Amino acid sequence: MSFPFKKILPHFLITIGFVVIALAYFNPVLKGKKIFQSDIMHYIGMAQQQKEFRAAENEETYWTNSAFGGMPTYQLGAKYPHNYIKKLDLNLRFLPRPADYLFLYLIGFYILLLSLKVDFKLAALGALAFGFSTYLIIILGVGHNSKAHAIAYMPLVLSGIILVFRKKYILGFLLTIVAMGLEIVANHFQMTYYLLLLVIVLGVAYLIDAYRKKEIPHYFKSIGLLSVAVLIAIGLNATSILATQEYVKESTRGQSELTINPDGSEKEITTGLSKEYITEYSYGILETFNLYIPRFMGGGSTEDIGKDSETYKALINLGADPIQALEGSRNAYTYWGEQTIVEAPAYVGAVILFLFVLALFMVKGRLKWWLVGGTLLSLLLSYGKHFGLLTDFFIDYVPLYNKFRAVSSIQVILELCIPVLGIFALVRLFNDFEKDDEKLKALKYATAITAGLAILFLLFKSSLFDFVGARDGQLRQAYGQPFVDALIEDRKAIFNADTLRTLILVLLSAGTIYFYIKKKLSEKIVVVLFAGLILFDLVGVDRNYVNNDNFISARQVDRPYLPNAADQEILKDDGHFRVLDMSNEGQRAPARAAYFHNSLSGYHAAKLGRFDDLLNFHIYQNNMNVLNMLNTKYIIAEDQGQVFPYTNTDANGNAWFISKLKPLESANAEIKALDSLDTKNEAVIAMPDFNSAGLDKVYAIDSLASIELVEYKPNYLKYESSNANDGFAVFSEVYYSEGWQSYIDGNAVEHQRVNYALRGVSVPKGNHVIEFKFEPEVVKTGSKVALASSIVFVLLLITGLFYKFRKTKQNQ
C-alpha cells in the first residue's frame, strides 16, 4: 500500500498556511512579546501561590489560600494525574499564545468543512471566515482564553458527529472521542453547553431526514456510537469534571441556603444564578445588524474617532486644550446600544453574510435547516431580557441553562453556522446541480436583500434611528447639549462609513459571482477573490481592536504586578494571616493582593458561595468582627494617592478557643448573628451539626490555654494546642465540605462549620497536635477513571487502525 502523498500534500500546505497566517496576524510573538490580556492578568494573580508551591514542592496543591480566604484550585489551572488528553491539547497548541488559538480556529473549521465533503480550497476559505470573525479575535484580546479554547474545538466535535452520520463509523467515532475530549479540556462548560444545544438542533434535523429516507436504524446506530464516544471523552476528563461538579455545589453557581439579601429583603430562590445576573449582558435586538455592519451601533463602548471628529471640535469649544480634546476623541462614547459594556461589535462579515443569504436560496436539505435553526436559536437566546418569553422558558425549564451568565455569548453558535452555510453557497455555485438561470435568480434575491438593506439604512437613518446612547444624559449634565449633539453627529458619520463599506463589499461579492456565472472568471479566481474580500473585510475590522499595540514585553505579562510600599511592608511579616486591599489599585486589579498575600479579595466567576455571602453581608460593610475572625492582620489603605498597610491588632489569629457555642436554626440566623457576635469568645453553628456532633454550649477556658499554628502549606496546616479543659477551637480557615480532613494526634476527627464559613474542632483537654490536610477523594477517583478511559481509547484506536488497514489491503 503506497503512501497517498498527492492526496495529503494540499492539506499539509494549507496547514502550513494556517500557521503562517496565525503568526502573521499576531506577529509580535515572533519578537518574544506577549499579548496583554486583562483576564489573564487576574488569573496570574489568583494562581501565583499554587505556581510557587508547584515549583518548590514538585507536587500539586488543590487548595489555595491566596484569594477569597481560600478555595479549591480546580478552576485555576489545576494539574491532574493521568490527564493525557490535556497533553495532546498542549501539543496541538504549539504556537505562542494567542496565535495558537487562531490556528486552532482555522484548522478545526477546515476539518469540519472537509467532513462535509467540501473541496479543500473552499474549506480553507471558510476557515478564514470563521477564524477572523471579530468576536473570536476580540476574546483573545481581553483574555477569555478558555472560551476561545472551547470555541476552537467546536468544529472538530461537529466533524466527528457528521462523519458518523455519513457512515464513516470508525473515523467519526475516534474523532468524536478526541474532539470531545479536547472540548472538555478547554474547561469552559458554558461554551460546551452551547455546543450541545447546536448538536441537538443537528440531531433533530438528521432525525427528520432519516425518517424521510427510511434510515432510522442507521440514525440510532449513529446515536449509540456517538453516545459511547462522548462517555469515553468524559472519562478522559473525569478528574476535572468530577472536581468541577463537586465544587459547583459549594460555589456561587450552586444554591444558597440563604433566603434573604444583605438589606434584609427576601431573596429570589433559584437553583442557579438569578435571572438578572444571567441576562445582565443581553444583546440588543437592533444590534443584530452589527453582525452585518461592523459599527452599526457605534462600535465598542468607546472608539478613537480622531481630530477630524465633531467631538474633538466640541471639546475645543468647551475650552479643552488640543491634547485634552484629542484624548477625549480617542475615547469617545460612540456606542448607543443597550449593553453595559462592549469591547467591540460582534461582526461576522458583510461578505460571508451575503453568501449566507445566497445559500438560503441555493442550498436545500438537512444541512440548511440545522445551520439556519442553530443560527436563529442562538440569535434569539442572545437577546436575553429583550426576548423574555424564550429566555425565561430556557432559564426555568431547560436543564443547566440557569448556570451560565452573559447570554449574548451564545452568538458563538451563529458565528460558526453562518460561515458553514455561506461556503455552501459557493459549493452549489461551482457544481451543476442548478442551471445558470437559477443561480442568477438566487444572486438577484440575495443582492436585493443585502444591498437593499444597506441602501435603506443610508437613505433613512435619521428617520429610523435616534443615535442616542445610554450615557448621553450624564454627558449632557457634564458637558452640555452641544457636546452630545456633536457626539451624535459622529455616531451618524460612523454609521454612514461602515454601512457604505458593507454595501461596497456586497456589490463586489455579487459582481464576482455574476462574472463567474457569465463565464468571465474561473473557479480558482473566484476563490482567490473571495479570500481577499473576506480577509479585507474581517481583518480590517479586527485590527481596530486587537493589533500590535496589544503586545508588551513577556516580562510585563508574566509578572504583571509589582509590590507597592504597602506590599513591601507586609511581606516583611512571615506569619500566616490575611490581607484586605481597599486601595484604588486593589479595586482596579482585584487579584493583585492575591499575587503577594493571602487575600480576602480576588477575581473569579465562581467563588465559594459562603465566602461570597460574607463579602456581601459583612466584609463590604466593614464589619470588623468578621474581618477579625478571618485573621485579617493588614488592611491596605490609601490616602491622597499614597498606599500604606494598616495593622489590625484585633485580628483573632490563626485559631482560638471559645467559651460559648450557639446553635442556630437557619443559615439566615447564622449570617445575621455575625453582625454583633464576639468572635473571639463565641461562635455560632447550625443546629443539625451541633446535635449530630454532640457538642456543648459552654466551655471552660483556663488562662494558659493556647493553640498555635506551627506549620503551614496551602494544603496542610499543623497546630499545637494546650488546654486544661475540654474545649472547642475555631480556625480562621474557610470551610469546604469536601477534601479537608482533620486529625488530632494523627487520628481522624470530624470538624464542623462554624460562624457560617469557618472550621471548628472539638479538642480534648491536654496537649495535642491538630492537623488539617486537603486530600480530595475526587482527584483520586477521577484519575483512576481517566487512566482506564485512556487505555480503552488506545485499544480502540489500535483496533480501528488495524481494521482500516486490513480493509484497505483487501480492497487493493
Side-chain angles (χ1 to χ4, degrees):
M1 182 174 64
S2 60
F3 186 75
F5 180 78
K6 290 184 178 180
K7 190 175 181 181
I8 290 175
L9 181 61
H11 305 307
F12 174 76
L13 293 176
I14 284 173
T15 302
I16 297 298
F18 288 158
V19 171
V20 172
I21 289 170
L23 290 173
Y25 188 89
F26 295 114
N27 61 84
V29 301
L30 299 174
K31 302 175 185 176
K33 292 186 175 182
K34 291 187 177 183
I35 192 168
F36 174 77
Q37 301 170 303
S38 56
D39 276 22
I40 299 306
M41 179 184 73
H42 299 317
Y43 166 78
I44 290 172
M46 294 285 289
Q48 181 65 12
Q49 187 177 89
Q50 72 195 78
K51 179 182 175 183
E52 291 175 350
F53 180 87
R54 189 183 293 140
E57 303 290 335
N58 196 30
E59 65 176 273
E60 193 74 14
T61 175
Y62 298 109
W63 184 270
T64 178
N65 280 306
S66 67
F68 299 122
M71 62 186 292
T73 63
Y74 303 146
Q75 295 297 309
L76 288 172
K79 296 182 178 180
Y80 303 114
H82 304 304
N83 195 3
Y84 303 114
I85 191 72
K86 179 64 177 180
K87 293 181 180 179
L88 173 61
D89 167 63
L90 292 172
N91 286 320
L92 290 174
R93 292 189 289 119
F94 59 91
L95 293 178
R97 185 176 294 172
D100 56 345
Y101 292 125
L102 179 53
F103 172 74
L104 288 183
Y105 289 161
L106 297 171
I107 196 68
F109 201 83
Y110 177 72
I111 293 171
L112 170 59
L113 288 177
L114 290 179
S115 72
L116 288 165
K117 299 191 287 187
V118 173
D119 176 74
F120 73 90
K121 296 185 292 296
L122 289 180
L125 185 66
L128 295 177
F130 175 71
F132 285 105
S133 184
T134 302
Y135 181 79
L136 303 192
I137 298 297
I138 294 305
I139 59 177
L140 297 178
V142 297
H144 294 172
N145 288 355
S146 60
K147 180 185 288 186
H149 200 171
I151 293 168
Y153 286 131
M154 284 181 178
L156 209 59
V157 175
L158 294 172
S159 302
I161 293 170
I162 287 165
L163 285 171
V164 170
F165 279 121
R166 282 183 51 204
K167 301 181 181 180
K168 305 283 186 180
Y169 295 120
I170 295 175
L171 179 59
F173 175 68
L174 294 173
L175 180 57
T176 302
I177 294 173
V178 174
M180 195 65 212
L182 292 169
E183 173 68 28
I184 297 170
V185 158
N187 197 34
H188 200 294
F189 294 108
Q190 183 171 1
M191 293 299 106
T192 304
Y193 181 81
Y194 291 161
L195 173 63
L196 173 63
L197 295 181
L198 177 60
V199 170
I200 291 172
V201 174
L202 182 152
V204 171
Y206 273 69
L207 176 60
I208 294 171
D209 187 71
Y211 176 77
R212 289 174 175 172
K213 295 177 179 178
K214 297 182 171 32
E215 292 186 341
I216 292 295
H218 157 65
Y219 176 85
F220 284 105
K221 177 182 178 181
S222 300
I223 293 295
L225 270 176
L226 292 171
S227 299
V228 173
V230 170
L231 286 174
I232 296 172
I234 290 172
L236 295 174
N237 290 278
T239 315
S240 63
I241 291 174
L242 291 174
T244 299
Q245 184 182 36
E246 176 189 280
Y247 176 67
V248 163
K249 298 173 185 176
E250 303 287 334
S251 78
T252 51
R253 302 300 174 99
Q255 185 172 4
S256 173
E257 292 182 44
L258 296 178
T259 60
I260 56 172
N261 293 309
D263 61 4
S265 61
E266 187 175 344
K267 183 179 182 179
E268 178 187 356
I269 304 301
T270 173
T271 56
L273 303 173
S274 68
K275 288 183 181 179
E276 290 76 15
Y277 191 59
I278 292 170
T279 60
E280 181 181 2
Y281 293 95
S282 295
Y283 202 64
I285 294 175
L286 194 59
E287 289 184 84
T288 302
F289 296 109
N290 272 341
L291 302 171
Y292 178 52
I293 299 170
R295 294 184 296 173
F296 182 90
M297 302 293 291
S301 294
T302 61
E303 292 272 336
D304 182 355
I305 53 179
K307 290 179 63 174
D308 296 329
S309 64
E310 295 299 318
T311 298
Y312 178 86
K313 297 173 186 175
L315 288 170
I316 292 292
N317 292 336
L318 286 169
D321 62 47
I323 295 177
Q324 291 172 329
L326 184 60
E327 183 64 26
S329 65
R330 284 177 173 170
N331 294 280
Y333 291 108
T334 55
Y335 176 70
W336 49 284
E338 300 181 62
Q339 297 187 74
T340 308
I341 185 171
V342 177
E343 291 290 337
Y347 181 57
V348 172
V351 175
I352 201 67
L353 259 171
F354 165 75
L355 292 175
F356 176 81
V357 175
L358 179 63
L360 296 178
F361 298 101
M362 296 185 68
V363 178
K364 300 177 178 62
R366 65 188 182 189
L367 175 77
K368 172 181 176 179
W369 295 118
W370 76 260
L371 291 170
V372 171
T375 298
L376 289 176
L377 179 65
S378 65
L379 182 61
L380 294 176
L381 285 174
S382 74
Y383 292 150
K385 60 189 175 186
H386 305 302
F387 193 43
L389 181 67
L390 182 64
T391 299
D392 289 349
F393 174 81
F394 267 72
I395 290 173
D396 293 336
Y397 300 109
V398 176
L400 301 180
Y401 191 80
N402 63 358
K403 301 294 183 183
F404 308 112
R405 65 187 291 253
V407 292
S408 59
S409 61
I410 198 174
Q411 285 197 356
V412 298
I413 298 303
L414 68 84
E415 285 153 4
L416 187 155
C417 293
I418 287 174
V420 175
L421 192 56
I423 289 302
F424 267 88
L426 294 178
V427 171
R428 302 292 290 189
L429 178 72
F430 291 156
N431 63 37
D432 298 324
F433 293 147
E434 284 91 16
K435 297 178 181 178
D436 286 350
D437 289 344
E438 293 173 340
K439 294 174 182 177
L440 275 173
K441 186 177 179 181
L443 177 63
K444 290 176 182 176
Y445 286 149
T447 306
I449 291 170
T450 52
L453 190 62
I455 293 170
L456 177 70
F457 288 153
L458 284 171
L459 293 178
F460 301 104
K461 60 179 179 296
S462 296
S463 301
L464 295 170
F465 315 115
D466 60 15
F467 297 93
V468 174
R471 294 177 181 264
D472 287 4
Q474 297 173 335
L475 295 173
R476 186 179 297 107
Q477 289 181 346
Y479 303 106
Q481 186 61 45
F483 175 80
V484 174
D485 292 340
L487 188 57
I488 288 174
E489 288 304 312
D490 286 328
R491 290 169 182 161
K492 290 180 180 179
I494 291 171
F495 181 93
N496 280 343
D498 280 23
T499 305
L500 183 60
R501 177 185 187 275
T502 286
L503 177 61
I504 292 171
L505 287 169
V506 165
L507 293 177
L508 288 173
S509 301
T512 300
I513 292 175
Y514 176 80
F515 284 116
Y516 171 79
I517 295 173
K518 292 298 183 180
K519 307 295 189 289
K520 301 294 184 181
L521 295 174
S522 68
E523 180 179 319
K524 289 182 179 179
I525 295 297
V526 170
V527 172
V528 171
L529 288 175
F530 268 107
L533 286 171
I534 287 171
L535 287 174
F536 173 83
D537 184 12
L538 293 173
V539 174
V541 175
D542 295 341
R543 297 293 287 183
N544 289 333
Y545 302 99
V546 181
N547 51 53
N548 292 7
D549 294 339
N550 295 85
F551 287 80
I552 56 178
S553 71
R555 180 180 175 82
Q556 288 176 278
V557 173
D558 295 337
R559 297 187 63 187
Y561 306 104
L562 295 175
N564 57 34
D567 296 320
Q568 291 172 9
E569 190 65 27
I570 296 170
L571 289 170
K572 294 176 183 178
D573 188 335
D574 59 1
H576 178 57
F577 50 82
R578 291 195 176 81
V579 175
L580 175 62
D581 190 350
M582 298 184 68
S583 68
N584 291 330
E585 188 178 9
Q587 303 307 307
R588 290 192 300 269
R592 82 170 305 282
Y595 187 83
F596 299 106
H597 317 292
N598 290 330
S599 170
L600 296 182
S601 60
Y603 184 87
H604 201 276
K607 61 183 79 74
L608 281 174
R610 288 189 177 276
F611 193 83
D612 189 53
D613 293 335
L614 283 185
L615 287 171
N616 294 320
F617 277 79
H618 298 290
I619 296 175
Y620 293 154
Q621 314 305 324
N622 298 319
N623 184 334
M624 289 305 299
N625 282 333
V626 170
L627 291 177
N628 290 339
M629 79 177 193
L630 289 165
N631 194 22
T632 310
K633 187 174 180 180
Y634 295 101
I635 298 173
I636 299 178
E638 185 170 342
D639 183 30
Q640 297 181 351
Q642 299 296 315
V643 295
F644 62 93
Y646 166 76
T647 303
N648 177 25
T649 56
D650 293 326
N652 290 12
N654 295 299
W656 58 97
F657 286 108
I658 60 166
S659 57
K660 291 182 180 180
L661 189 60
K662 299 179 178 180
L664 299 175
E665 293 288 351
S666 68
N668 291 350
E670 290 178 63
I671 197 80
K672 289 169 68 176
L674 298 178
D675 282 333
S676 56
L677 187 73
D678 177 9
T679 58
K680 288 183 173 65
N681 299 298
E682 302 173 333
V684 295
I685 185 171
M687 183 67 79
D689 295 341
F690 177 83
N691 292 333
S692 64
L695 301 172
D696 297 322
K697 292 184 179 182
V698 178
Y699 293 88
I701 305 176
D702 71 86
S703 59
L704 298 177
S706 65
I707 180 167
E708 294 182 3
L709 178 68
V710 295
E711 186 177 347
Y712 161 78
K713 294 179 183 178
N715 58 358
Y716 175 75
L717 300 106
K718 181 179 179 180
Y719 305 81
E720 291 180 353
S721 72
S722 178
N723 195 346
N725 307 292
D726 291 340
F728 191 88
V730 176
F731 300 83
S732 63
E733 303 298 326
V734 170
Y735 179 87
Y736 183 69
S737 61
E738 305 290 343
W740 277 109
Q741 309 298 327
S742 50
Y743 303 86
I744 295 180
D745 300 331
N747 299 312
V749 295
E750 293 292 325
H751 63 276
Q752 284 74 41
R753 178 179 57 79
V754 297
N755 291 358
Y756 193 71
L758 297 187
R759 305 174 206 166
V761 174
S762 179
V763 182
K765 62 183 178 181
N767 299 324
H768 299 285
V769 173
I770 305 168
E771 296 171 291
F772 284 101
K773 300 177 182 179
F774 194 58
E775 303 169 319
E777 280 296 322
V778 70
V779 173
K780 298 174 185 176
T781 302
S783 299
K784 292 176 183 177
V785 175
L787 176 60
S789 300
S790 299
I791 293 171
V792 169
F793 172 70
V794 170
L795 293 174
L796 288 170
L797 178 62
I798 293 171
T799 302
L801 291 174
F802 175 76
Y803 176 80
K804 187 71 175 176
F805 175 80
R806 190 177 69 174
K807 189 174 181 181
T808 302
K809 195 172 183 180
Q810 287 175 347
N811 290 339
Q812 288 180 338

